[in-house]
């Protein structure tokens, strides 16, 4: 046939395929034959007659063709819905909505061809079967992680939940060569699970969800995407941290709630578990937002689950009637063209299933059969059942006190003056021992590895350090207690020299830079007897006085 010809092919006793001129852009051959492979038995579906197979050689339709299946038995009940069972190219079968003509034929318009069989759908039985299949899928377990379980020696993982598969490996930073402990987590059931992310991780990665998508989901569902992730079955979440200065435990908490349950239910209802995880999440998120007011607060609210299911399948369908509207809504929701396009494609793929589900629910009656059917679903998400929400603990042993540092105008080793005490303790690998609390946020303290230093802690920050003799780190300029004052004058040529106001016989040398100061005292103007480094406002007669 040529592009200018109208198509009309009749297969006696089976069906007829028609299309107007211009349906095909290129010339080619259309072959219509009886289908030899019948669809597998499906609860709620009654085969209605013979199937038909259509193949194309050298051409493809640009617009839908009309397929009329004429070998159709009468419906068994007044509520039965006409459908077509279509075999996808991968061999799986899908059920698509159809229409019935006045003479009892079943009609469908489609561009996708391979075996098509007429059938009647009993809405209550089919919805019950779909609910059972959804529940079975959600309750089924996923495979454990294939993991070397070779975490670094400083790390130990302690799982305390059955909602997640967990594993610990060593991740070596390619830039520094430093080993990091990486926790790998994935849901142990086939539904969405929240995982909280603790402070202290150096990186996170969520398969199928780049940072921009995580941020968009956070805006949609009102959570901090840096502190919380939404993970579905088969999707891997990883987080890692290097060895800390002090012993630390990082805790990842898993749980489910009404939002995650609603997303899981939506994914099961529309068959989105067969999509790529990201596309499934995009589509279900888009549709769930249309029914945001129906999402139950509690997983145990069976009635709320039923209401959400009905809304998801019926009210949200209006968003699929206009592809441009669907894309505009997805773009507004996700904020990035690429994700909006993915969501639109996923919605398009599932729109026929959604329309059929909406039609079935309308016939079945949401207030009766549907609500009864979905009372079983909360069991799939029960936090009091065999799966226990809770924590995965990552225990990290500290590397111990840091001793190889110098002290100067900028700070002590990796710790600039003015650093909060907890961060300074982590960087130096030891906790301050407060020796004197002067009140008003001022305290003097020592570190075990530097007994010759007295620190001033002001308003929760490391403000100053004073040399009092004994074991203390070197200065960054080489000036030492007992050394020659000439070393100070050479290292700090701009230092101000004056008399110590508390002792007229003592000479004071003060150098300042960028809000920091270094101060040296000499009793004889020849030998360095005392020195301090820190914030200019804190350097004085004694640390933090």
């Amino acid at each position: 046939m040529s592009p200018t010809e109208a198509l009309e092919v009749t297969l006696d006793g089976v069906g007829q395929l028609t299309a107007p001129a211009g349906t095909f852009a290129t010339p080619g051959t259309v072959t219509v034959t009886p289908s030899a492979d019948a669809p597998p038995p499906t609860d709620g579906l009654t085969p209605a007659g013979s199937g038909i197979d259509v193949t194309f050689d050298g051409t493809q339709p640009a617009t839908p063709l009309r397929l009329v299946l004429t070998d159709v038995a009468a419906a068994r009940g007044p509520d039965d819905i006409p459908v077509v069972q279509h075999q996808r190219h991968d061999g799986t079968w899908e059920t698509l909505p159809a229409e019935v003509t006045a003479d009892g034929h079943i009609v469908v318009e489609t561009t996708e061809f391979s075996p098509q069989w007429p059938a009647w759908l009993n809405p209550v039985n089919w919805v019950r079967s779909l609910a059972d299949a959804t529940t079975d899928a959600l309750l089924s377990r996923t495979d454990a992680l294939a993991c070397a379980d070779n975490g670094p020696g400083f790390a130990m993982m302690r799982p305390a939940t059955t909602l997640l598969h967990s594993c610990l490996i060593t991740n070596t930073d390619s830039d520094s060569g430093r080993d990091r402990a990486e926790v790998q987590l994935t849901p142990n059931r086939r539904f969405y699970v929240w995982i909280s992310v603790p402070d202290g991780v150096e990186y996170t990665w969520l398969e199928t969800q780049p940072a921009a998508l995580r941020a968009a989901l956070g805006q949609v569902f009102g959570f901090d995407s840096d502190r919380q992730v939404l993970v579905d079955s088969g999707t891997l979440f990883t987080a890692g941290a290097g060895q800390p200065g002090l012993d630390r435990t990082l805790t990842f908490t898993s749980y489910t709630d009404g939002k995650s349950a609603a997303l899981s239910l939506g994914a099961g209802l529309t068959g989105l578990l067969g999509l790529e995880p990201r596309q499934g999440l995009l589509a279900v998120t888009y549709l769930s937002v249309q029914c945001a007011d129906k999402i139950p607060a509690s997983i145990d609210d069976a009635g709320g689950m039923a209401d959400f299911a009905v809304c998801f399948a019926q009210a949200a369908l209006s968003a699929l009637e206009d592809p441009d509207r669907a894309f505009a809504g997805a773009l507004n929701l996700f904020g990035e063209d690429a994700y909006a396009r993915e969501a639109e494609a996923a919605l398009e793929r599932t729109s026929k299933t959604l329309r059929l589900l909406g039609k079935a629910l309308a016939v079945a009656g949401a207030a009766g059969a549907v609500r009864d059917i979905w009372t079983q679903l909360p069991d799939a998400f029960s936090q009091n059942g065999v799966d226990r929400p809770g924590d995965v603990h990552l225990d990290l042993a500290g590397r111990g006190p840091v001793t190889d540092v110098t002290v100067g105008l900028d700070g002590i080793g990796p710790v600039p003056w003015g650093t909060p005490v907890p961060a300074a303790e982590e960087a130096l690998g030891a906790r301050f021992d407060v020796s004197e609390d002067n009140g008003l946020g001022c305290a003097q303290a020592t570190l075990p590895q530097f007994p010759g230093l007295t620190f001033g802690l002001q308003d929760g920050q490391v403000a100053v350090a004073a040399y009092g003799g004994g074991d203390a780190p070197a200065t960054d300029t080489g000036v030492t207690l007992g050394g020659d004052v000439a070393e100070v004058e050479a290292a700090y040529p701009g230092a101000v020299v004056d008399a110590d106001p508390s002792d007229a016989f003592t000479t004071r040398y003060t150098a300042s830079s960028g809000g920091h100061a270094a101060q040296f005292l000499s009793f004889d103007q020849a030998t360095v007897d005392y020195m301090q480094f820190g914030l200019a406002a804190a350097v004085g007669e004694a640390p933090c006085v």
Side-chain angles (χ1 to χ4, degrees), residues 75-128:
R76 293 185 177 182
D79 292 333
D80 281 358
I81 298 172
V83 296
V84 166
Q85 291 183 269
H86 168 240
Q87 188 175 33
R88 301 184 183 97
H89 296 301
D90 62 4
T92 60
W93 290 82
E94 64 179 343
T95 303
L96 303 177
E99 301 294 334
V100 62
T101 64
D103 51 3
H105 299 162
I106 288 180
V107 181
V108 66
E109 292 190 356
T110 180
T111 57
E112 296 184 13
F113 282 93
S114 47
Q116 312 257 4
W117 289 72
W120 294 103
L121 181 147
N122 178 293
V124 173
N125 291 341
W126 183 68
V127 170
R128 179 176 288 110

Side-chain angles (χ1 to χ4, degrees), residues 239-405:
Q243 186 174 19
L246 301 171
D247 292 350
R248 175 188 298 175
T249 296
L250 305 181
T251 299
F252 302 83
T253 300
S254 64
Y255 62 97
T256 55
D257 63 4
K259 290 179 182 177
S260 64
L263 288 171
S264 300
L265 177 57
L269 288 177
T270 58
L272 288 176
L273 296 177
L275 291 176
E276 291 297 323
R278 183 165 78 187
Q279 289 182 331
L281 177 59
L282 287 167
V284 174
T285 296
Y286 177 84
L287 294 177
S288 295
V289 168
Q290 315 304 312
C291 298
D293 61 331
K294 302 293 185 182
I295 295 177
S298 169
I299 293 173
D300 298 325
D301 182 359
M305 281 290 187
D307 291 342
F308 171 78
V310 172
C311 176
F312 188 92
Q314 292 180 316
L317 293 182
S318 63
L320 303 177
E321 294 174 355
D322 183 348
D324 291 336
R325 177 184 173 189
F327 172 69
L331 185 62
N332 181 63
L333 187 65
F334 297 111
E336 288 210 2
D337 182 86
Y339 299 134
R341 292 291 179 195
E342 283 189 72
E344 182 190 29
L347 289 167
E348 181 180 0
R349 177 172 173 179
T350 58
S351 62
K352 291 181 179 179
T353 302
L354 280 169
R355 293 182 190 284
L356 179 59
L357 181 58
K359 190 173 182 179
L361 290 178
V363 174
V370 175
R371 185 175 296 273
D372 293 338
I373 290 167
W374 259 282
T375 56
Q376 63 186 303
L377 282 174
D379 292 336
F381 306 100
S382 174
Q383 298 197 41
N384 300 313
V386 294
D387 278 315
R388 184 177 71 254
D391 303 329
V392 173
H393 304 286
L394 177 61
D395 296 328
L396 302 174
R399 60 180 173 268
V402 173
T403 58
D404 187 15
V405 298

Side-chain angles (χ1 to χ4, degrees), residues 140-221:
S140 64
R141 295 194 179 275
T142 60
D143 294 333
L145 291 168
C147 176
D149 205 16
N150 61 347
F154 61 82
M156 181 181 72
M157 184 179 65
R158 293 183 291 114
T161 175
T162 59
L163 275 183
L164 300 174
H165 292 302
S166 55
C167 182
L168 179 65
I169 68 168
T170 298
N171 177 297
T172 302
D173 183 22
S174 58
D175 294 329
S176 66
R178 184 171 56 95
D179 285 344
R180 299 174 294 190
E182 178 176 292
V183 171
Q184 299 188 339
L185 305 172
T186 191
N188 146 350
R189 299 275 189 179
R190 298 189 184 279
F191 47 73
Y192 287 99
V193 173
W194 293 108
I195 302 177
S196 67
V197 182
D199 290 330
V201 298
E202 295 182 10
Y203 65 89
T204 60
W205 177 80
L206 182 54
E207 187 180 15
T208 76
Q209 289 186 35
L213 177 55
R214 284 170 56 182
L217 292 172
Q219 291 181 346
V220 171
F221 291 113

